[in-house]
Amino acid sequence: MLTRDQVEVGAALPELSLDLTPTMVVSTALATMDFTPVHHDVQVARGQGAKDIFLNILTTMGLVERYVTDWAGPEAVIRRIDVKLGVPAYAGDRLSFRGGVTALADGEVTVGVTGRVSLGDHATGTVTLLLPEVRP
């Protein structure tokens, strides 16, 4: 379990890389009840100018949260997530997250996060969370 006293500005989080298989793209879209065809039908996605099916927004947000909470531990409380989407994350690509602690203020920890695919930055932003205090 990570506590506030164990965190410093500049600390790097371990990288998380995920293969974006077609099954992952489709199943996560369905799990978030996003039935938009560009997330599960290759022909529709290509017909709309995409290279392939791609991750939906809710999946990206969930993966950003997972990345930070895997590092922070189960007692962390997410206060804010602010993410800007960039290039699509297509099936068949690999999504790699990197991040680091950018601020400590008023008991909150802010982590900067970037999720990259082969085309560039898929998601960039910050996650602000509370960590438990030191316990005696």
Short mmCIF file of all heavy atoms in Angstrom, two decimals, residues 13-17 67 94 96-99:
data_model
loop_
_atom_site.label_atom_id
_atom_site.label_comp_id
_atom_site.label_asym_id
_atom_site.label_seq_id
_atom_site.Cartn_x
_atom_site.Cartn_y
_atom_site.Cartn_z
N LEU A 13 6.20 6.51 -12.53
CA LEU A 13 5.40 5.30 -12.40
C LEU A 13 5.97 4.25 -13.35
O LEU A 13 6.51 4.59 -14.40
CB LEU A 13 3.94 5.56 -12.77
CG LEU A 13 3.05 6.18 -11.70
CD1 LEU A 13 3.50 7.58 -11.33
CD2 LEU A 13 1.60 6.18 -12.16
N PRO A 14 5.81 2.98 -13.02
CA PRO A 14 6.27 1.94 -13.95
C PRO A 14 5.41 1.95 -15.22
O PRO A 14 4.22 2.27 -15.17
CB PRO A 14 6.09 0.63 -13.17
CG PRO A 14 5.20 0.95 -12.03
CD PRO A 14 5.26 2.43 -11.79
N GLU A 15 6.02 1.62 -16.33
CA GLU A 15 5.29 1.59 -17.61
C GLU A 15 4.28 0.44 -17.61
O GLU A 15 4.52 -0.61 -17.01
CB GLU A 15 6.27 1.41 -18.76
CG GLU A 15 5.59 1.45 -20.12
CD GLU A 15 6.57 1.39 -21.28
OE1 GLU A 15 7.67 1.97 -21.16
OE2 GLU A 15 6.22 0.78 -22.29
N LEU A 16 3.17 0.66 -18.28
CA LEU A 16 2.17 -0.38 -18.52
C LEU A 16 1.93 -0.43 -20.02
O LEU A 16 1.59 0.59 -20.63
CB LEU A 16 0.85 -0.06 -17.80
CG LEU A 16 -0.34 -0.96 -18.15
CD1 LEU A 16 -0.10 -2.39 -17.67
CD2 LEU A 16 -1.63 -0.40 -17.56
N SER A 17 2.12 -1.59 -20.63
CA SER A 17 1.88 -1.76 -22.06
C SER A 17 0.84 -2.85 -22.29
O SER A 17 0.90 -3.91 -21.65
CB SER A 17 3.17 -2.13 -22.79
OG SER A 17 4.06 -1.05 -22.79
N TYR A 67 -4.04 2.40 -14.82
CA TYR A 67 -2.60 2.65 -14.79
C TYR A 67 -2.18 3.31 -13.47
O TYR A 67 -1.24 2.88 -12.82
CB TYR A 67 -2.19 3.51 -15.99
CG TYR A 67 -0.76 3.95 -15.96
CD1 TYR A 67 0.28 3.02 -15.98
CD2 TYR A 67 -0.43 5.30 -15.91
CE1 TYR A 67 1.60 3.43 -15.94
CE2 TYR A 67 0.90 5.71 -15.87
CZ TYR A 67 1.91 4.76 -15.89
OH TYR A 67 3.22 5.18 -15.85
N ARG A 94 -0.20 -1.38 -29.99
CA ARG A 94 0.17 -1.54 -28.58
C ARG A 94 0.05 -0.18 -27.91
O ARG A 94 0.54 0.81 -28.43
CB ARG A 94 1.61 -2.05 -28.48
CG ARG A 94 2.05 -2.40 -27.09
CD ARG A 94 3.38 -3.18 -27.17
NE ARG A 94 3.79 -3.62 -25.87
CZ ARG A 94 3.33 -4.69 -25.24
NH1 ARG A 94 2.43 -5.45 -25.81
NH2 ARG A 94 3.76 -5.02 -24.04
N SER A 96 0.98 2.02 -24.65
CA SER A 96 1.93 2.06 -23.54
C SER A 96 1.72 3.32 -22.73
O SER A 96 1.73 4.42 -23.28
CB SER A 96 3.36 2.02 -24.07
OG SER A 96 3.60 0.81 -24.73
N PHE A 97 1.54 3.13 -21.43
CA PHE A 97 1.35 4.25 -20.51
C PHE A 97 2.65 4.53 -19.75
O PHE A 97 3.33 3.61 -19.30
CB PHE A 97 0.26 3.95 -19.49
CG PHE A 97 -1.12 3.98 -20.07
CD1 PHE A 97 -1.76 2.80 -20.42
CD2 PHE A 97 -1.78 5.17 -20.27
CE1 PHE A 97 -3.03 2.81 -20.96
CE2 PHE A 97 -3.05 5.20 -20.81
CZ PHE A 97 -3.67 4.01 -21.16
N ARG A 98 2.93 5.82 -19.62
CA ARG A 98 4.03 6.30 -18.77
C ARG A 98 3.49 7.48 -17.98
O ARG A 98 2.57 8.15 -18.42
CB ARG A 98 5.21 6.75 -19.62
CG ARG A 98 5.89 5.60 -20.30
CD ARG A 98 7.13 6.03 -21.01
NE ARG A 98 7.69 4.84 -21.65
CZ ARG A 98 8.78 4.83 -22.34
NH1 ARG A 98 9.46 5.96 -22.50
NH2 ARG A 98 9.23 3.74 -22.88
N GLY A 99 4.11 7.72 -16.84
CA GLY A 99 3.65 8.84 -16.05
C GLY A 99 4.58 9.14 -14.90
O GLY A 99 5.54 8.40 -14.65
#
